[in-house]
Amino acid sequence: MVMVSKAPMSSRYRPGQGFSPQPCIGYEEAHQRELADFQHLIDHLTADGRLARRDEEVILSALVAGESFSAGKCALFRQLQERVWRAEIYLEPETA
């Protein structure tokens, strides 16, 4: 175990003032683009009303790929699951 006498501070931290408002330029746009790409992938793979097991694996890989694991991507995946449960999308059985 490593003992640290002083916790490292973010470069944006200003004692007595909290964090300085320095937005990460481009982060929000990149995050929105990643969500849009993930939604497009889901829409493309389910356009015919079917979801093959290999396509499900592609979607799961895309879910965990990218800069960070996001709640937005999880929500989109959950919507896909609900569409399968409501029989709006047919989940093809595994082939041996």
Side-chain angles (χ1 to χ4, degrees):
M1 175 169 27
V2 176
M3 299 298 288
V4 177
S5 61
K6 241 182 152 178
M9 289 188 213
S10 167
S11 61
R12 297 186 311 146
Y13 184 76
R14 304 289 179 254
Q17 298 175 2
F19 285 92
S20 63
Q22 296 175 354
C24 296
I25 297 172
Y27 172 78
E28 188 61 34
E29 292 85 8
H31 179 70
Q32 290 302 319
R33 180 67 186 166
E34 189 174 356
L35 283 177
D37 289 346
F38 188 62
Q39 179 66 59
H40 178 73
L41 175 68
I42 291 172
D43 292 344
H44 176 73
L45 294 176
T46 60
D48 63 353
R50 296 180 174 274
L51 182 62
R53 292 292 178 164
R54 67 182 173 278
D55 294 338
E56 180 186 24
E57 291 174 13
V58 169
I59 291 170
L60 286 171
S61 294
L63 175 66
V64 297
E67 287 289 317
S68 63
F69 194 71
S70 75
K73 285 171 117 180
C74 289
L76 292 173
F77 184 73
R78 178 64 179 208
Q79 289 174 4
L80 173 63
Q81 287 178 317
E82 290 174 358
R83 290 174 62 197
V84 170
W85 296 333
R86 289 190 306 256
E88 295 173 8
I89 296 175
Y90 175 72
L91 183 60
E92 294 180 354
E94 289 186 57
T95 56

